[in-house]
Amino acid sequence: MTLRAKLLLAQAPLALVLALFGVVSVTTISSLGHSPELILKDNYRSVLALERMLRSLERLEGEALALATGRPASAPAGADDRRALEAELVVQEQNITESGEDAATRLLRQRFTEYQAAFARLGAAPLPERLGLYFEVLEPVYQGVQAAAGEILALNQDAMARKSERARRAAERNSSFVVVVTIGALALGLISSLALTARLLRPLGILSQTVRRIGEGDLAARARVGGKDEIYALAQEFNTMADRLGQYRTSSLGELLQAQQASQAAIDSLPDPVLVLDPAGGVINLNGAAEAMLRIGAGGAVPPMSALEPGLRAVVERVRQHVLSGKGAYAPRGFEEAVRVASPEGDRHLLPRATPVYSEQGSIVGATIVLQDVTRLMRFDELKNDLVATVAHEFRTPLTSLRMAIHLCAEEVVGPLTEKQADLMAASRQDCERLQGIVDDLLDLSRIQSGRMALRVERLDVGALLEGAAGGLRAGAEAEGIELAVTPEETPDVHADPERIQLVLTNLLANAMRHTAPGGRVEARVMPAGGAVRFEVRDTGEGIAREHHDRIFDKFYRVPGARSGGVGLGLYIAREIVQAHGGAMGVESEPGKGSTFWFTLPVDQEQPAAA
């Protein structure tokens, strides 16, 4: 017997079970198919008619209000709505299905007749008397019509709910019946199928065991299967494949050694140190640059991790844990992550980068760490920072004189100005203030990077801190047509530098106002967050795409297409100030949905000596 015939024979009991289950299911579903008719056929027309009546009544009431106030109305006023309401009322009178619905319908007809009379009286009355008639006569009758319609609507909806409950109970009974029949049929079918497939699966088990042994490296294992069916033919082909695989393994050893030598030569050609680590932290491989610069692995021996300097070993371990935890490749955020290493050529600054090493099954079996030599780049960065600080300091004196001169001219201390001259002076004053803000940002940047920004920490009331930051911007918000709101919650006091935190809040609020269109809203909130206090600044502006979230806190970075207003230092300085207090800072935003910038300050933080 062929394998196909055996499989068909093994599945025959299950086919019978499926046929029986299909018959029972069709019968049950057919009985359940009439349940919606039970719920809807008697009551749905009444519910639909009453909802349409209420909508027509609301439009008719609007026409009545227009007549009462003397505004133009449809001609004739509400004629279409009255006809529609009358038609739906007739439908309801012809569809009495529930107990008490007849009396409620007659009451609805009576009150609607009264409403029509009151509406006609309102239309015939002189204009000065209409408003009084509307509130004294028409409005009470309108409420009565609504109440009567609502009573009928409630009767029908309650009836639909009761009928739905009966249908649900019927469905539960049918479901229980189907479950019992299904369990019995499946038990019978499974017992029969298992008995027939047991013999069919025995050769497959032998073949599976042989495959597992070969996968573990035992190329001498063979599948011994009897019979003349397709499984026997498969076992013979598998044995032939195992023979050829053994021959291929013997002939490919030299090629594997050549490939290993080529990969080692590629690693050795890199000018930066490279370390390959296993999951346990051991060094699997390293290149010549690592041996020379780190002075490890002399004589070709693979060094242990303990051979690395303590500072470098801690950085390598941190990067390795990042990669092995499944977070993907590790990329540094800036030069501040560089580690200093003593080398024969002098101190070098190495910036770690890492990528995972995957096995054939896709699991992580190690990490490749490249220690990029950024010594020259860091020197260039220091020169750039020194240049920025020097230029900013040199700008302060002439800028102060320029601001004073423009102020004196704008205030007409040295003589009167024409209107055109006053406009030019106002524009010059704004540009000077903007230039002063840029110079202050550059000086703050210089202090942060040189470690000279000291913090004067004191106990601060959070609510007063928010109000102080928002108070200086309310006039500008009102001028731009932006709502500036402060929403404090009951939070403990924080220990922080008031001037620096005020700068952070002012920067976030000003940014939010700058990116919010007139008519929008900017809100400053504060709330407790565990052992810290969380500050939030929300706006209804254009939002920030997700790919820019990690970069907007970098120096001199500005989102492409954003409105101008600075040189891209405000958020960087704000984050450095928050981190100097022991807090964190981030952003939550989507394009078109506004942005939320937040930062946290610890509640019981010891006063730091310096940032």
Side-chain angles (χ1 to χ4, degrees), residues 450-472:
S450 62
R452 293 185 287 105
M453 185 181 70
L455 298 178
R456 297 174 179 85
V457 177
E458 61 185 63
R459 183 178 296 274
L460 299 177
D461 178 75
V462 174
L465 194 63
L466 278 182
E467 288 293 344

Side-chain angles (χ1 to χ4, degrees), residues 209-223:
Q209 183 179 5
T210 305
V211 171
R212 183 169 57 253
R213 289 177 58 188
I214 290 180
E216 293 173 352
D218 184 10
L219 298 183
R222 296 294 182 270

Side-chain angles (χ1 to χ4, degrees), residues 220-233:
R222 296 294 182 270
R224 308 301 178 185
V225 177
K228 296 298 182 181
D229 56 8
E230 289 86 346
I231 297 179
Y232 171 78

Side-chain angles (χ1 to χ4, degrees), residues 4 42 80 148 241 244 348 364 383 434 449 502 532 609:
R4 177 179 299 177
D42 294 329
D80 293 338
M241 181 195 69
R244 294 178 179 177
R348 315 296 294 179
I364 300 176
L383 291 174
R434 180 171 175 270
Q449 292 179 335
Q502 194 85 297

